[in-house]
Amino acid sequence: MFTQDQPRLRNWINGKFIDVVASGSDQAVKTIPVTSPYNAKVIGHVPLSTAADVADAVAAAQAAFPAWSSRTIKDRAAILIRFHSLLTKHVDQLADMVVLEHGKNKAEAIASVLKGQETVEYALSLPQVVQGKMLEVSRGITCYDTRVPLGVVASVVPFNFPVMVPMWTLPIAIAMGNTMVLKPSEKVPFTMTKIVELLKEAGLPDGVVNLVHGTADAVNALIDHDDVKAVTFVGTSHIAEMVSQRCHRLNKRVLALGGAKNHMISAPDRNIEMTSSDVVNSYSGCSGQRCMAATVLLTIGHQQELVDRIVAKSEALRPGSKAGEVGPVIDQASVDKITRYINEAEASGARILVDGRPWTKSQSEGFWVGPTVILHTNKQDAALHDEIFGPVLSILAVDTAEEALAIENANPYGNAACIYTNSGATADHFIKRFSAGMCGVNIGVAVPREPFSFGGWNKSRFGNHCDITGDGGVEFFSTRRKVTTKWVPQENASWMS
């Protein structure tokens, strides 16, 4: 049934690949196909792990925890140094895997691996970053604190960045002394399968990082397991909130990042060339499948020259896997969702300035929607408010800065926002009033770079109120032990004189 061209993946538990436990009346291993977005062809089969499979992975992580957490943080970081070197050595191979299973173009895939490397590099710095504090708080009494790992942690990651998003959590979590069970997206399971092999080659002890495949049942089993002390999740806001609530009922530490609807505001004094290029890159890069894609452009006043430039640059984009080309979206369900929003906007009276729907038929195979630019007149259009997760830009002209800010502030998400302007005072005015955790000035995809941490506000983040990378990740993946000391003077200390 499974050929070399269509492999069946296995879980990675205690340093080796393990078949999923058969279940059901027929005692068969349940699998689902993995397809390449470029041609819709099946490239493998991912097993659906049961609660028993999850328990095996957690048991391996729990068994590895005492020895791993007892190592010094410098010792743990030394293994990550070797892992970093292996990631660099295999960047091209990993990028090819991302192209195959996700659909990014090659340049985007390489960039995503290198962005994951940045978080590894931050983890390498932790021996110099996470020292505790010490202070003589009163005469003869000293307080100090140390960071203590939590134990077994779980990380559930999405399809849109097969390397980068897992690297948000894995390096920091294990550098701080935790062990991990990671569940990759069932849509892109291959890349992390290669990553765990590189971790073993780097010298990571067996059981420190484990990989289980599956869907909701595997996630629920991870959350519910008593030995899992903390859970991170990245996905839609609807599921993120469900994960957060399930963890909270168990009094379990959780950080669940959700979706976004990110706004860009164009002031009248913006630079047209830079703004148009940045807007097009923001909404169409990675086929719009990223939570940092800014997909609503609010122009203060009618800015026809800017709109014309955006349209021209969008129309010049071509489908493909080369740098500068737009890749496919992940599956047919995404195609259907994206085109539905375009259809609804058109039916409500919006003008489709650039129409990406013909790509769904012009490409002979795969899951394609081309860059689409919609000029709205109705503020209630769903495309202006919902996360579409595709290469669709909504443009709406407003009369004032206050009106633009009111629209951005009313957005229930709070991931990112951007102001395009040549005025520092204007930029400062908007940045202080945006309702978003990550803000840009003339940068539509305002992703913080290490050591600054990644995380949004409002319905873009649920659970513990800290970011997922940087010092937020350190805070999430450890707890503080506070020690207060007092020493009684020795009655006979003549030996000291």
Side-chain angles (χ1 to χ4, degrees):
M1 180 178 178
F2 303 106
T3 67
Q4 286 185 335
D5 293 331
Q6 296 183 6
R8 184 178 72 190
L9 290 107
R10 295 185 291 171
N11 290 341
W12 176 265
I13 298 175
N14 203 29
K16 56 183 178 292
F17 288 112
I18 301 292
D19 284 322
V20 168
V21 175
S23 62
S25 58
D26 57 356
Q27 287 298 295
V29 174
K30 294 180 174 60
T31 66
I32 55 177
V34 182
T35 57
S36 174
Y38 275 99
N39 55 25
K41 293 181 179 178
V42 175
I43 56 175
H45 294 78
V46 63
L48 302 183
S49 296
T50 65
D53 299 305
V54 170
D56 288 344
V58 174
Q62 182 72 8
F65 176 69
W68 179 247
S69 60
S70 68
R71 293 193 180 198
T72 66
I73 192 169
K74 291 183 68 175
D75 189 20
R76 297 191 294 260
I79 293 174
L80 287 174
I81 291 173
R82 296 193 289 274
F83 174 60
H84 181 277
S85 177
L86 288 169
L87 279 180
T88 302
K89 178 181 177 181
H90 291 274
V91 63
D92 199 63
Q93 179 187 6
L94 291 167
D96 284 339
M97 296 174 77
V98 172
V99 171
L100 175 67
E101 66 178 350
H102 174 270
K104 289 188 187 333
N105 71 41
K106 184 63 179 288
E108 291 169 342
I110 291 173
S112 72
V113 177
L114 296 179
K115 188 66 178 71
Q117 277 280 55
E118 290 186 13
T119 313
V120 178
E121 290 160 6
Y122 176 79
L124 301 182
S125 74
L126 290 180
Q128 287 73 47
V129 171
V130 298
Q131 303 98 325
K133 301 186 293 292
M134 175 177 281
L135 182 68
E136 186 177 21
V137 294
S138 60
R139 189 179 300 276
I141 297 178
T142 298
C143 289
Y144 68 90
D145 65 7
T146 59
R147 289 196 174 272
V148 180
L150 306 177
V152 180
V153 298
S155 184
V156 181
V157 296
F159 74 83
N160 57 327
F161 284 94
V163 177
M164 186 186 78
V165 174
M167 291 303 106
W168 284 354
T169 57
L170 190 154
I172 296 173
I174 65 174
M176 294 305 296
N178 302 283
T179 55
M180 174 175 279
V181 180
L182 187 141
K183 194 205 82 68
S185 168
E186 65 278 9
K187 298 179 181 180
V188 291
F190 287 100
T191 312
M192 280 308 299
T193 299
K194 178 63 180 178
I195 292 288
V196 293
E197 291 183 303
L198 295 181
L199 284 165
K200 186 177 180 71
E201 186 177 345
L204 189 72
D206 293 345
V208 174
V209 172
N210 306 273
L211 197 71
V212 293
H213 298 288
T215 54
D217 288 344
V219 176
N220 290 336
L222 278 170
I223 293 172
D224 295 344
H225 200 293
D226 289 341
D227 288 336
V228 173
K229 302 305 180 185
V231 177
T232 66
F233 171 89
V234 181
T236 68
S237 287
H238 174 66
I239 304 300
E241 188 169 20
M242 292 173 60
V243 168
S244 176
Q245 291 172 348
R246 193 178 186 108
C247 288
H248 282 151
R249 285 195 293 269
L250 299 169
N251 195 30
K252 188 165 293 190
R253 187 177 295 204
V254 59
L255 179 57
L257 300 189
K261 192 66 175 180
N262 305 318
H263 291 70
M264 302 169 284
I265 297 177
S266 177
D269 68 339
R270 75 281 173 264
N271 179 285
I272 291 177
E273 180 60 28
M274 179 182 68
T275 300
S276 59
S277 294
D278 195 72
V279 167
V280 172
N281 173 68
S282 177
Y283 90 84
S284 68
C286 298
S287 302
Q289 297 176 120
R290 51 185 176 183
C291 67
M292 289 299 288
T295 56
V296 176
L297 174 64
L298 304 174
T299 64
I300 302 175
H302 291 281
Q303 300 182 19
Q304 191 61 48
E305 187 178 355
L306 174 63
V307 173
D308 290 344
R309 199 77 61 88
I310 290 170
V311 167
K313 292 179 179 181
S314 298
E315 289 177 335
L317 294 170
R318 295 292 178 264
S321 61
K322 297 178 182 177
E325 294 178 334
V326 179
V329 296
I330 190 66
D331 55 22
Q332 186 60 43
S334 292
V335 172
D336 295 342
K337 176 184 177 182
I338 295 163
T339 55
R340 174 171 57 83
Y341 276 100
I342 301 170
N343 294 339
E344 290 175 354
E346 187 175 40
S348 76
R351 290 176 55 201
I352 311 301
L353 303 182
V354 180
D355 194 347
R357 289 172 293 185
W359 282 27
T360 64
K361 296 181 175 60
S362 63
Q363 302 304 301
S364 59
E365 52 189 6
F367 310 118
W368 298 86
V369 181
T372 299
V373 179
I374 306 173
L375 185 62
H376 296 267
T377 56
N378 184 353
K379 294 180 182 179
Q380 304 309 313
D381 286 347
L384 283 166
H385 302 280
D386 299 347
E387 183 178 45
I388 300 174
F389 226 58
V392 178
L393 174 67
S394 289
I395 301 177
L396 179 69
V398 299
D399 294 328
T400 65
E402 289 70 23
E403 185 180 358
L405 283 166
I407 292 172
E408 190 278 333
N409 290 172
N411 163 36
Y413 302 105
N415 218 42
C418 170
I419 174 66
Y420 293 103
T421 179
N422 280 329
S423 164
T426 299
D428 187 61
H429 176 87
F430 279 89
I431 293 299
K432 289 179 177 178
R433 290 164 176 80
F434 279 145
S435 180
M438 294 173 282
C439 299
V441 177
N442 299 319
I443 299 177
V445 183
V447 177
R449 307 292 289 267
E450 274 63 31
F452 298 95
S453 56
F454 184 100
W457 295 351
N458 306 328
K459 287 197 173 182
S460 290
R461 181 177 67 186
F462 299 87
N464 289 65
H465 294 291
C466 55
D467 292 337
I468 200 167
T469 63
D471 55 3
V474 170
E475 195 67 33
F476 181 81
F477 286 116
S478 65
T479 191
R480 296 173 187 265
R481 175 181 288 128
K482 287 76 64 178
V483 181
T484 305
T485 64
K486 177 181 179 181
W487 299 101
V488 177
Q490 296 187 41
E491 294 183 2
N492 182 6
S494 60
W495 60 272
M496 296 179 63
S497 59

